[in-house]
Amino acid sequence: MFKDWLMGFVTGFATTFKHLFRRPVTEQYPEYQRTLPVRSRARIILTRDPDGEERCVACYLCSAVCPVSCISMQSGQREDGRRYPRWFRINFARCIYCGFCEEACPTLAIQLTPHFETCERDVLNLVAEKENLLVNHGGKNPDYNFYRHAGVTMVGDKGTHVNEIEPVDLKSNLP
Ligand code: SF4
Ligand code: SF4
């Protein structure tokens, strides 16, 4: 009994003394700010394609998949037929930074960034409009251009478009 007590006592103090002589690991935030991985999920942005055009085609997929319904928009169409959001709104007061919107987006327009310092005293300041979300770069995928893969008139034979595979001859699959 006394032996067990002594062993616990000695082991506990050994751990204490071990940490007494280690360098502290406290990070003095906000003076020191750790660089977070690019995949970190915080402040959301709307990105542009390499041509400088808005990537968002107002397909509503992000808004449909959002579990807390904090994304809303209204679609519009340009004279050349390209769709865009007339307005696009995210209520960051409700956002849980799950990243589902980014996963659902077919054009890689909506992206979460590592910028987490978004606190506001007035909750209404957490409602971001398109002008607060749209940036002048492509975010994590600067080279991707949705309109070079989809939404364009095909020129040439089937299977010759960007990343398109040769069509399968169904009759050749017969047993
Ligand atoms: S990160 Fe999640 S909660 Fe936030 S807007 Fe996207 S889907 Fe909605
Ligand atoms: S951000 Fe992406 S998923 Fe959301 S409406 Fe625009 S294109 Fe569609």
Side-chain angles (χ1 to χ4, degrees):
M1 181 72 184
F2 176 75
K3 194 175 156 198
D4 290 345
W5 176 85
L6 188 64
M7 279 305 292
F9 185 81
V10 170
T11 312
F13 269 94
T15 305
T16 304
F17 276 108
K18 198 167 65 183
H19 285 275
L20 266 181
F21 301 104
R22 280 189 176 171
R23 286 170 61 87
V25 292
T26 309
E27 291 177 354
Q28 299 297 336
Y29 177 84
E31 290 79 15
Y32 169 79
Q33 296 198 10
R34 194 196 300 185
T35 305
L36 295 176
V38 285
R39 67 180 186 279
S40 306
R41 299 198 305 259
R43 178 76 157 74
I44 297 174
I45 54 173
L46 287 176
T47 59
R48 292 181 187 270
D49 65 24
D51 300 329
E53 302 276 9
E54 287 180 56
R55 278 184 172 145
C56 180
V57 291
C59 66
Y60 293 92
L61 281 176
C62 55
S63 139
V65 79
C66 179
V68 293
S69 302
C70 68
I71 303 179
S72 50
M73 77 196 80
Q74 185 187 354
S75 64
Q77 195 160 327
R78 296 192 330 201
E79 283 184 1
D80 62 1
R82 182 164 169 153
R83 286 167 58 97
Y84 71 101
R86 287 186 199 280
W87 54 265
F88 193 106
R89 186 175 299 138
I90 299 180
N91 184 351
F92 283 112
R94 298 181 67 176
C95 177
I96 54 171
Y97 302 100
C98 62
F100 284 3
C101 50
E102 183 174 0
E103 296 286 332
C105 182
T107 66
L108 308 185
I110 192 164
Q111 297 182 16
L112 281 81
T113 69
H115 303 290
F116 59 88
E117 293 176 310
T118 54
C119 295
E120 291 284 349
R121 287 188 182 278
D122 184 350
V123 74
L124 289 181
N125 289 339
L126 288 168
V127 179
E129 301 291 341
K130 182 169 145 181
E131 54 268 28
N132 310 123
L133 300 165
L134 192 59
V135 295
N136 285 325
H137 56 79
K140 288 176 251 188
N141 311 88
D143 301 326
Y144 182 71
N145 190 336
F146 175 73
Y147 272 91
R148 291 193 193 134
H149 299 263
V152 290
T153 308
M154 274 181 52
V155 180
D157 295 330
K158 284 186 176 178
T160 57
H161 192 50
V162 184
N163 290 346
E164 189 180 29
I165 57 172
E166 287 283 321
V168 175
D169 179 5
L170 293 179
K171 290 180 182 168
S172 71
N173 287 341
L174 291 174

